[in-house]
């Protein structure tokens, strides 16, 4: 394991232990539930839309560390983004965790993944991909 994957592991564990944006969102304009039956992950996602912009995003749920950390980081990442920007970010994230696409390349177009790159290791764990994308699929819904 390289130094960076050890660091990534630590970031994931930290988000799992102390999830950001956790708990029901007052004044939410959207509520959506997501389930990953393969692993037993469940989450509820609250969004407050301000026109086309995601003004705020919260989640609550139970599941494995990857699903919780992913939801924690996703809610932070999409805040302030337009619907189209969030969709573009989801596509890049999906590319990252499935090992397809040019998620981190210097010449890559679209939304930079930034801290979401900590999920790159999931590409080596095919059975965990659904855990990582659950929050994003729920957002998409
Ligand atoms: Zn899971």
């Amino acid at each position: 394991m390289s130094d960076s994957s050890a660091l990534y592991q630590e970031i994931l564990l930290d988000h799992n232990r102390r999830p950001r944006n956790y708990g029901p969102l007052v004044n939410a304009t959207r509520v959506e539930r997501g389930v990953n039956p393969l692993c037993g992950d469940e989450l509820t996602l609250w969004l407050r839309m301000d026109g086309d912009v995601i003004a705020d995003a919260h989640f609550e749920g139970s599941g494995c560390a990857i699903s919780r950390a992913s939801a924690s980081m996703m809610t932070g990442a999409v805040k302030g983004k337009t619907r189209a920007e969030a969709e573009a970010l989801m596509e890049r994230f999906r590319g990252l965790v499935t090992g397809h696409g040019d998620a981190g390349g210097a010449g890559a177009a679209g939304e930079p993944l930034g801290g979401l790159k900590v999920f790159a290791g999931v590409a080596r764990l095919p059975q965990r991909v659904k855990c990582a994308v659950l929050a994003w699929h729920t957002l998409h819904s």
Side-chain angles (χ1 to χ4, degrees):
M1 194 179 253
S2 69
D3 288 350
S4 69
S5 52
L7 172 66
Y8 287 178
Q9 186 80 8
E10 190 50 45
I11 294 170
L12 289 179
L13 290 174
D14 180 59
H15 273 272
N16 177 49
R17 276 194 302 265
R18 299 185 296 116
R20 315 321 191 249
N21 312 305
Y22 196 82
L25 177 64
V26 284
N27 304 328
T29 56
R30 296 285 181 86
V31 183
E32 195 70 41
R33 266 179 56 76
V35 179
N36 169 22
L38 287 180
C39 181
D41 308 318
E42 295 181 2
L43 68 83
T44 304
L45 180 68
W46 289 268
L47 294 180
R48 189 170 77 242
M49 300 299 294
D50 180 6
D52 196 44
V53 174
I54 300 170
D56 206 353
H58 275 219
F59 84 103
E60 199 170 71
S62 60
C64 66
I66 289 176
S67 71
R68 284 166 57 89
S70 177
S72 173
M73 295 189 74
M74 182 206 76
T75 48
V78 299
K79 225 177 272 191
K81 294 232 181 329
T82 65
R83 195 186 297 245
E85 286 168 344
E87 292 278 335
L89 196 56
M90 182 184 86
E91 285 307 316
R92 301 202 69 199
F93 183 78
R94 205 198 330 245
L96 175 77
V97 298
T98 56
H100 302 301
D102 179 19
E111 289 294 310
L113 282 164
L116 295 169
K117 283 187 190 144
V118 299
F119 289 95
V122 172
R124 295 191 298 272
L125 308 165
Q127 72 276 24
R128 310 314 296 275
V129 168
K130 285 207 159 53
C131 304
V133 298
L134 173 64
W136 292 90
H137 280 170
T138 310
L139 174 72
H140 184 65
S141 302

